[in-house]
Amino acid sequence: MPEETPAFSQFASPSGEEAVRQVREIMSLRARTGTPMALVRTYGCQQNVSDSEKIKGFLAQMGFSFTENEEEADFILFNTCAVREHAENRVFGNVGALKTVKRRHPSTLIAVCGCMMEEDKAAERIRSVFPFVGLVFGTHVIHKFPQLLLRALTENRRVFERGDDSEDHQIAEGLPVRRDGTVKAWLTVMYGCNNFCSYCIVPYVRGRERSREPDAILKEFRGLVRDGYKDITLLGQNVNSYGKTLQNPVSFASLLRMLDEVEGDYRIRFMTSHPKDLTKELIDTIASGKHISHHLHLPFQSGNDRILKAMNRSYTRERYLELISYAKEKIPDVSLTSDIIVGFPGETYEEFRDTVDLIRRVEFTSLFTFIYSPRTGTKAAKLPDPVPAAEKGRWLQELCAEQEKIAARRCAASVGTVQRVLIEQQKPKTGLLTGRTDGNIIVDFAGDPALIGQFANVRITSARNWILGGELI
Ligand code: 5AD
Ligand code: SF4
């Protein structure tokens, strides 16, 4: 059994380029089939997807090809999510299942990274329960991936690394990226979160808010448009507070206006917005933009003021509804989506009904709904939580049933309209083309697969729940 490092270690190492070169050399000899193969599995949100694209960028530089098959992989990496217990349990289960893969292919290097690895408890569990995991690293050290992989391949011990809590985590620019698609792209504009919503682990595992310089974002954005990407999503835990900590502060609205000036055939989305920081200026910017999608993902979490306060969300139900009515006034075809937590500690059925009432008033296009999951280290995890899980499950069903009715009604109302659809793929079963409207609604229609990756105008002719059918104009 290889010896373990006593703690998460700091180390002196070769440059990133040198590490990439050395890993490429080692892997060309070590690969089982001649070509080094990597499997990267991503859990959780788009931020993780974007981080995985950077890691895959490094792996591609090292000569790796990619596979989904664990049996043929020389390197397996799970990029994990810590936001809910359910997601964590899936990771532990799936890492556990790799034991037999490692037994069959002892040369395969198994690694775990991402938000869970910034939590002491989860990282410790990987260390003690899964000795076949050879490399563990957190969200703050992705830029050191080449050096970490090199160490895991050359040192006769397991490698554990994550950012030091006292470090002011700098943004590493210029990392390679291997994007998953050719039509849609993620572009991170800021990292971390300062809000400390009482239920949320994110500020603990992703650190304080840091914004990228507008020039760096613009350069990446121009590159994406030049490469033909048509749907570019700006990412951050709370994009509305973008730019506040820069030396020359810039608002998110002005960043959007700057990007919107770039010539080309594309649309911009962004997520996630926080109602406390969402400005009317931003809504006006969406309304007047040339390429900015009329889609606003604005999580409200709860429709009850007492619960919002206990969640430390810093806005009221009334303020939220005010923002929504301003958005509807300025952008009449706005598509609204949201995140909701059901069963926050101490929430009563009456308080939950305020959430149902709010979704009726707003009429969202779609919702991401979650049952509250206690996260060790957060304030909410210390609160009494008397409502049984089964009861919370019934509330969630009630909420979803209401939303299904709303979505069906909204979809039916769009029959007869003409929508600009970005065509994403051909459905294997029906042969129909499928894409998304500006408001992020799926539309199926007959057409030439050569159109995939382009925008097309589609007349909506039918609605089945939340999927639209149409015909190409
Ligand atoms: N339990 C349940 N849902 C949560 N979310 C964040 N933390 C928790 C938690 N502890 C949800 C919120 C957030 C989304 C990304 O995940 O709704 O907006
Ligand atoms: Fe979590 Fe709140 Fe930050 Fe979103 S804004 S990442 S819910 S703490």
Side-chain angles (χ1 to χ4, degrees):
M1 179 63 55
E3 175 203 336
E4 286 187 26
T5 46
F8 282 85
S9 56
Q10 302 295 313
F11 65 100
S13 58
S15 74
E17 268 173 42
E18 175 57 20
V20 165
R21 196 192 62 71
Q22 289 188 30
V23 171
R24 196 190 304 124
E25 216 173 276
I26 293 167
M27 286 312 302
S28 67
L29 301 171
R30 188 170 154 147
R32 274 184 278 135
T33 61
T35 307
M37 303 295 284
L39 183 158
V40 178
R41 187 171 298 158
T42 309
Y43 297 81
C45 69
Q46 279 76 19
Q47 186 61 61
N48 264 15
V49 173
S50 171
D51 286 351
S52 287
E53 289 183 339
K54 294 191 179 105
I55 294 169
K56 285 189 242 180
F58 280 126
L59 288 167
Q61 286 184 340
M62 294 160 176
F64 279 89
S65 290
F66 296 90
T67 176
E68 291 300 314
N69 182 351
E70 290 160 356
E71 297 299 327
E72 63 179 25
D74 300 291
F75 176 60
I76 299 178
L77 173 71
F78 285 180
N79 187 2
T80 64
C81 168
V83 92
R84 280 171 292 275
E85 194 183 3
H86 178 69
E88 292 204 344
N89 288 340
R90 253 180 58 216
V91 167
F92 285 127
N94 293 347
V95 171
L98 292 178
K99 186 175 176 180
T100 55
V101 176
K102 180 75 180 173
R103 197 177 295 143
R104 275 194 295 276
H105 309 294
S107 68
T108 299
L109 176 64
I110 295 174
V112 183
C113 70
C115 292
M116 271 170 81
M117 298 305 102
E118 291 288 342
E119 286 180 289
D120 294 340
K121 233 172 75 178
E124 186 46 44
R125 186 158 160 198
I126 293 286
R127 183 203 296 277
S128 56
V129 182
F130 305 108
F132 53 87
V133 174
L135 169 62
V136 168
F137 59 99
T139 56
H140 297 301
V141 291
I142 285 175
H143 58 287
K144 294 186 195 166
F145 175 68
Q147 290 96 328
L148 294 170
L149 183 54
L150 179 62
R151 285 182 57 210
L153 290 169
T154 54
E155 293 177 9
N156 188 28
R157 59 180 180 178
R158 306 167 76 193
V159 173
F160 292 79
E161 175 91 3
R162 63 182 177 185
D164 181 338
D165 281 348
S166 62
E167 265 177 56
D168 178 16
H169 301 294
Q170 299 297 320
I171 294 177
E173 289 292 351
L175 303 190
V177 184
R178 182 185 177 274
R179 298 189 193 272
D180 291 339
T182 52
V183 180
K184 290 182 174 190
W186 312 109
L187 197 171
T188 302
V189 299
M190 64 184 299
Y191 296 86
C193 181
N194 287 354
N195 291 315
F196 290 94
C197 299
S198 64
Y199 50 81
C200 188
I201 193 78
V202 168
Y204 303 91
V205 294
R206 287 216 171 249
R208 295 294 64 71
E209 278 178 16
R210 287 144 289 151
S211 296
R212 291 178 69 192
E213 288 293 339
D215 286 352
I217 296 171
L218 182 62
K219 189 169 165 221
E220 187 174 348
F221 189 85
R222 283 210 178 105
L224 289 171
V225 173
R226 210 176 29 240
D227 291 347
Y229 285 93
K230 295 278 190 283
D231 189 304
I232 302 170
T233 303
L234 310 181
L235 290 180
Q237 300 300 338
N238 175 12
V239 289
N240 308 105
S241 63
Y242 169 80
K244 286 183 182 166
T245 53
L246 287 173
Q247 219 163 24
N248 299 314
V250 181
S251 74
F252 183 61
S254 55
L255 176 76
L256 262 184
R257 284 195 295 271
M258 185 177 86
L259 301 179
D260 192 31
E261 285 304 313
V262 174
E263 294 290 329
D265 187 28
Y266 63 87
R267 66 181 169 212
I268 312 177
R269 301 180 191 282
F270 54 90
M271 63 196 303
T272 289
S273 290
H274 193 307
K276 110 180 139 59
D277 298 309
L278 184 83
T279 58
K280 291 193 170 167
E281 184 201 3
L282 178 61
I283 293 173
D284 296 341
T285 302
I286 302 172
S288 62
K290 292 190 286 275
H291 304 95
I292 308 170
S293 140
H294 286 184
H295 171 205
L296 189 55
H297 180 64
L298 192 60
F300 72 91
Q301 314 294 359
S302 162
N304 177 272
D305 282 345
R306 190 189 73 85
I307 298 298
L308 285 173
K309 196 147 196 267
M311 287 177 163
N312 192 29
R313 289 290 289 178
S314 310
Y315 55 86
T316 60
R317 166 191 176 89
E318 196 185 326
R319 158 93 182 131
Y320 185 83
L321 287 169
E322 241 173 61
L323 281 171
I324 295 291
S325 68
Y326 187 78
K328 285 181 175 174
E329 181 196 323
K330 295 285 165 166
I331 317 163
D333 64 344
V334 68
S335 171
L336 297 158
T337 56
S338 196
D339 295 349
I340 297 175
I341 296 177
V342 169
F344 184 81
E347 185 175 40
T348 66
Y349 180 68
E350 284 66 36
E351 288 166 335
F352 157 73
R353 288 299 304 178
D354 286 342
T355 295
V356 179
D357 179 73
L358 196 143
I359 69 160
R360 280 209 192 111
R361 279 168 200 252
V362 177
E363 300 212 294
F364 292 97
T365 302
S366 59
L367 292 176
F368 299 88
T369 52
F370 311 102
I371 292 185
Y372 168 76
S373 169
R375 308 281 62 214
T376 307
T378 62
K379 271 194 175 163
K382 298 189 189 84
L383 298 173
D385 190 2
V387 176
E391 179 70 9
K392 293 184 183 183
R394 281 192 288 276
W395 297 1
L396 185 76
Q397 276 175 12
E398 201 174 314
L399 183 72
C400 294
E402 193 61 43
Q403 177 55 27
E404 278 183 23
K405 282 191 250 167
I406 296 166
R409 206 162 52 232
R410 280 183 57 88
C411 279
S414 67
V415 172
T417 61
V418 173
Q419 303 280 339
R420 188 162 177 259
V421 174
L422 176 57
I423 306 171
E424 289 177 13
Q425 54 173 313
Q426 185 173 30
K427 285 194 164 167
K429 271 193 190 153
T430 56
L432 292 175
L433 299 183
T434 185
R436 282 173 191 267
T437 67
D438 201 46
N440 218 22
I441 301 172
I442 299 171
V443 186
D444 293 348
F445 54 97
D448 184 347
L451 293 172
I452 291 169
Q454 295 181 32
F455 288 103
N457 285 328
V458 175
R459 188 183 314 282
I460 307 303
T461 52
S462 66
R464 278 173 294 119
N465 298 323
W466 50 88
I467 298 184
L468 302 174
E471 50 194 34
L472 210 56
I473 296 180

